């Protein structure tokens, strides 16, 4: 059951921050845990849900903290529809839909690809990726669509992971960019690491950065204002294509984290001659225009060369039609 804790603010706590005060009163929880609970709506101030951790409290304020039940340490099977492109006794190739998180994490304890795989595969799913990432060899961002390979058992997982490590597991992406990269065929070789100003983001040329290389080729030029680009990873860092394309001033259309400024996007669409309705449709796309369209690897058991291609999803196709 949830734990409900009530506190009255006295003169000693008056003027202090909400998160600081709760962390001091309820020392069983870290300040970061308290902040997460506040942001999730688990705190009421004088009877109203309050989500501003920095709010300064006043004497007489009444706080109620509701701590939800602990979630299971292991993900549970869930009946979530999967678009399975290929399956045998050793592995699956999946066409991941937009909005599907790959594995459980902070704020995503259920509804993930792992939950779906546990339901589909049952006990045979490989555990070598860790309890929270069974079978997962590589990942796609939540809103990136396209092909992923998943191992069903440890031997397959080891074989595929080795190919990912030595870069013989090949992935090709389609990215819709603002502007046209120059030259139209080339590569971006910029090391990447955590952005010191925002731990949720990745940046180039930061301290403790890891090597990252992306090959690209312009597939279609939309009047010089947008371009459909094929990208191939030599390395496979978090957010790599999104960060590399932004670094060369050609960010992905729709990318909420690294994407183009709204003014720049609107200016490009206007110069491209798009009417107001088309512009609104582009602005409402709501995710980065990135699709994992092809994947190649050696089957870890049969040693057969495997290659799969997946066409763009409907919303992406419609986006290109608008241009």
């Amino acid at each position: 059951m949830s734990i409900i804790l009530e506190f009255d603010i006295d003169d000693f706590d008056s003027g202090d921050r909400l998160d600081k005060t709760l962390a001091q009163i309820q020392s069983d929880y870290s300040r970061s845990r308290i902040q997460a609970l506040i942001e999730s709506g688990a705190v009421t101030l004088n009877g109203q849900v309050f989500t501003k951790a920095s709010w300064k409290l006043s004497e007489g304020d009444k706080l109620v903290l509701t701590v939800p039940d602990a979630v299971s340490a292991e993900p549970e099977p869930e009946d979530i529809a999967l678009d399975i492109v290929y399956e045998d006794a050793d592995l699956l190739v999946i066409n991941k839909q937009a909005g599907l998180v790959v594995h459980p994490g902070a704020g995503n304890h259920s509804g993930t690809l792992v939950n779906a795989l546990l339901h589909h595969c049952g006990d045979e799913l490989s555990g070598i990726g860790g309890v929270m990432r069974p079978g997962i060899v590589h990942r796609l961002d939540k809103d990136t669509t396209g092909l992923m390979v998943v191992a069903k058992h440890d031997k397959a997982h080891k074989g595929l992971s080795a190919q990912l490590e030595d870069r013989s597991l090949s992935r090709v992406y389609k990215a819709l960019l603002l502007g046209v990269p120059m030259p139209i065929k080339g590569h971006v070789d910029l090391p990447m690491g955590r952005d010191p100003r925002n731990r949720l983001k990745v940046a180039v040329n930061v301290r403790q950065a890891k090597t990252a290389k992306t090959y690209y080729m312009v597939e279609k030029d939309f009047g010089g204002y947008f371009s459909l680009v094929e990208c191939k990873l030599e390395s496979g860092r978090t957010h790599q294509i999104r960060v590399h394309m932004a670094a060369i001033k050609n960010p992905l259309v729709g990318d909420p984290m690294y994407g183009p400024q709204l003014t720049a996007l609107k200016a490009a669409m206007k110069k491209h001659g798009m009417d107001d309705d088309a512009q609104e449709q582009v602005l409402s796309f709501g995710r980065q225009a990135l699709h994992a369209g092809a994947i190649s690897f050696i089957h870890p058991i049969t040693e057969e060369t495997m290659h799969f291609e997946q066409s763009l999803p409907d919303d992406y196709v419609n986006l290109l039609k608008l241009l």
Side-chain angles (χ1 to χ4, degrees), residues 163 168-172 294-298 305-308:
Q163 292 179 53
S168 58
L169 190 156
S170 172
R171 293 160 289 166
V172 180
I295 189 169
S296 301
F297 55 89
I298 305 298
T305 298
M306 311 289 286
H307 177 77
F308 301 91

Side-chain angles (χ1 to χ4, degrees), residues 28-265:
D28 289 345
Y29 304 109
S30 67
R31 188 164 175 177
S32 60
R33 171 65 169 147
I34 290 293
Q35 289 171 339
L37 288 168
I38 293 171
E39 291 173 6
S40 71
V43 173
T44 64
L45 174 64
N46 300 325
Q48 300 293 320
V49 173
F50 211 76
T51 58
K52 189 175 181 180
S54 61
W55 182 260
K56 299 295 179 63
L57 296 168
S58 301
E59 183 177 359
D61 282 344
K62 293 185 179 296
L63 296 176
V64 177
L65 170 63
T66 303
V67 183
D69 294 337
V71 298
S72 171
E74 298 185 14
E76 298 291 332
E78 294 180 45
D79 188 4
I80 299 170
L82 292 174
D83 182 1
I84 298 174
V85 177
Y86 172 83
E87 180 175 12
D88 61 25
D90 308 301
L91 56 85
L92 302 95
V93 176
I94 293 165
N95 178 32
K96 190 186 85 67
Q97 64 265 42
L100 183 65
V101 176
V102 170
H103 52 72
N108 295 293
H109 297 291
S110 62
T112 71
L113 175 59
V114 164
N115 298 106
L117 290 169
L118 288 170
H119 180 271
H120 179 78
C121 299
D123 294 336
E124 67 180 331
L125 192 64
S126 168
I128 197 172
V131 172
M132 301 300 281
R133 306 183 185 191
I136 301 300
V137 178
H138 63 106
R139 61 183 291 273
L140 294 176
D141 295 333
K142 175 184 176 182
D143 287 324
T144 297
T145 56
L147 297 170
M148 289 182 62
V149 60
V150 177
K152 282 189 174 182
H153 53 75
D154 291 356
K155 186 175 181 180
H157 196 288
K158 289 177 181 177
L160 290 168
S161 296
Q163 292 179 53
L164 187 68
E165 183 70 23
D166 67 19
R167 299 167 184 169
S168 58
L169 190 156
S170 172
R171 293 160 289 166
V172 180
Y173 295 77
K174 303 285 187 183
L176 181 62
L177 310 182
L178 179 67
V180 182
M182 296 301 293
I184 61 172
K185 182 179 181 181
H187 68 270
V188 182
D189 190 358
L190 293 171
M192 295 169 51
R194 286 290 175 193
D195 188 332
R197 296 167 297 180
N198 184 344
R199 295 288 296 172
L200 297 177
K201 298 179 70 174
V202 178
V204 298
N205 296 325
V206 294
R207 291 183 62 185
Q208 298 181 327
K210 296 181 179 180
T211 57
K213 194 171 188 177
T214 304
Y215 294 92
Y216 70 85
M217 180 176 66
V218 175
E219 197 170 279
K220 186 172 179 61
D221 179 342
F222 296 91
Y225 299 107
F226 299 91
S227 57
L228 181 64
V229 176
E230 182 177 278
C231 296
K232 185 176 181 180
L233 304 177
E234 181 173 295
S235 47
R237 308 298 178 199
T238 298
H239 300 173
Q240 181 171 319
I241 293 173
R242 299 164 64 186
V243 172
H244 270 176
M245 294 302 104
I248 62 171
K249 310 303 181 185
N250 295 112
L252 270 73
V253 171
D255 191 334
M257 189 170 286
Y258 309 103
Q261 295 292 322
L262 186 60
T263 52
L265 182 58

